[in-house]
Amino acid sequence: MNMKVNIAGVEWNNPVTVASGTFGSGAEFADYVDLNRLGAVTTKGVANIPWAGNPTPRVAETYGGMMNAVGLQNPGIDLFCERDIPFLRQYDTKIIVNVCGKSTEDYCEVVERLADEDVDMLEINISCPNVKEGGIAFGQNPKAAEEITKAVKKYAKQPVIMKLSPNVTSIAEMAKAVEAGGADAVSLINTLTGMKVDINRKAFVLANKTGGVSGPAIHPIAVRMVYEAANAVQIPIIGMGGIASAEDAIEMLLVGASAVSVGTANFHDPAVTMKVVDGIEAYMKRQGFESVADMVGIVK
Ligand SMILES: Cc1cc2nc3c(=O)[nH]c(=O)nc-3n(C[C@H](O)[C@H](O)[C@H](O)COP(=O)(O)O)c2cc1C
């Protein structure tokens, strides 16, 4: 039996990574998780210069999940390259760098900077609902999504994963647009835009008013969108949204994801990814699957 998967030419030891922004750049979780046992580590979004993020409060609990409006706080590409890449390189795992920006030029600058760095894949976040410029502006319009994909592909030396937003009418159309732009893979879903009111303060809970909803509550929506995207494009899909167990991850694989990311569940149980890896392996043994690829998309 073989747990390895090939995502756009990059071989991961198993199909499990972490969702950007829920695992830092790995160091915060290294006491709980053997990073060698993750197929890949996906980093928090990184921009060309440091970003402070949004004013607080910027996270809140919700039924079956959470809301965040962190606003892509990050140290900028210089510190990231100096500190986080060497840390992750100590481990036998692939490195996926999540890239954010406010303009096409911002994204391209980071991608160009990473071209000669020792990282395996790039994930371009065009789906953050919590920043006013950039991000989602590219992720809700198929033409803009295609154009930004083409632009980053000009500079990228690593395979490019375009990260899609669920805050659209047709996820299939968005997946097709980034495929047309030359994306090597797509990942989905980012968070769903939500709102929460503190009835005693008679005010919004988050300073940003709205935030991205994540966690188990969004899982069925994510499974549906992964299925729709998988049926629309030929490139591999990395499925995420509310995965908190091996069962949740296997659902994603069966509807067409070639790999999965675990996000919000890391906050609740820092070692959850290890349980997901072990659970997928146990399921494959029980069900007689020789490879992960054999189960991808078999539920039609
Ligand atoms: C606190 C927090 C920070 C996040 N930061 C990022 C980010 O920097 N870049 C990105 O592409 N997605 C970011 N996301 C979205 C997640 O990567 C993921 O797409 C989403 O939360 C759905 O998965 P989940 O339900 O397993 O958390 C963030 C999510 C949370 C909860």
Side-chain angles (χ1 to χ4, degrees):
M1 202 193 68
N2 183 359
M3 288 283 280
K4 288 189 192 308
V5 291
N6 185 308
I7 309 295
V10 179
E11 191 178 77
W12 303 11
N13 289 334
N14 65 58
V16 180
T17 184
V18 288
S20 176
T22 65
F23 206 74
S25 287
E28 293 91 326
F29 280 79
D31 288 344
Y32 306 98
V33 171
D34 178 2
L35 300 180
N36 298 299
R37 295 195 56 228
L38 285 173
V41 171
T42 308
T43 68
K44 169 81 187 154
V46 62
N48 55 339
I49 52 166
W51 289 9
N54 288 328
T56 58
R58 52 189 192 178
V59 289
E61 285 189 31
T62 59
Y63 286 117
M66 65 177 286
M67 260 169 71
N68 92 85
V70 170
L72 300 174
Q73 179 181 344
N74 77 89
I77 188 69
D78 289 338
L79 184 57
F80 177 83
C81 289
E82 200 178 297
R83 184 189 64 189
D84 296 339
I85 298 174
F87 172 80
L88 285 170
R89 262 298 156 243
Q90 303 173 83
Y91 297 92
D92 178 21
T93 188
K94 297 294 180 248
I95 303 175
I96 303 175
V97 182
N98 183 283
V99 176
C100 55
K102 292 184 170 135
S103 65
T104 304
E105 293 70 34
D106 283 3
Y107 282 101
C108 290
E109 192 181 327
V110 179
V111 168
E112 187 175 23
R113 179 72 208 280
L114 287 166
D116 296 318
E117 292 287 340
D118 189 9
V119 302
D120 300 290
M121 305 184 90
L122 309 178
E123 181 179 57
I124 312 298
N125 178 8
I126 55 164
S127 44
C128 182
N130 303 321
V131 291
K132 297 219 162 25
E133 311 150 85
I136 195 77
F138 296 102
Q140 283 179 327
N141 173 327
K143 200 71 214 152
E146 183 179 340
E147 290 307 320
I148 184 93
T149 308
K150 277 188 188 151
V152 298
K153 278 291 288 178
K154 280 201 196 112
Y155 295 93
K157 287 203 185 143
Q158 298 88 353
V160 168
I161 307 160
M162 297 304 290
K163 183 160 178 185
L164 303 183
S165 170
N167 302 306
V168 295
T169 308
S170 168
I171 198 77
E173 197 184 346
M174 296 306 295
K176 281 185 188 152
V178 298
E179 184 180 51
D184 300 288
V186 279
S187 59
L188 66 145
I189 59 175
N190 208 315
T191 53
L192 287 143
T193 309
M195 184 179 265
K196 184 173 164 128
V197 172
D198 180 332
I199 61 163
N200 295 312
R201 281 177 42 241
K202 296 176 276 301
F204 296 107
V205 170
L206 300 179
N208 190 51
K209 293 190 184 173
T210 59
V213 184
S214 62
I218 71 167
H219 184 64
I221 301 167
V223 173
R224 187 262 297 175
M225 290 195 158
V226 165
Y227 174 80
E228 288 176 354
N231 284 295
V233 295
Q234 302 301 318
I235 50 179
I237 313 268
I238 302 171
M240 73 190 90
I243 295 177
S245 66
E247 182 178 344
D248 297 336
I250 293 162
E251 272 187 84
M252 291 278 194
L253 298 169
L254 293 178
V255 297
S258 295
V260 294
S261 314
V262 180
T264 298
N266 291 302
F267 297 133
H268 172 73
D269 173 4
V272 66
T273 44
M274 301 292 94
K275 295 175 193 164
V276 173
V277 173
D278 291 342
I280 295 173
E281 190 172 15
Y283 174 83
M284 287 173 65
K285 278 195 189 129
R286 230 171 29 241
Q287 297 276 335
F289 286 112
E290 281 301 320
S291 74
V292 176
D294 290 345
M295 59 174 159
V296 170
I298 60 172
V299 174
K300 300 280 179 206

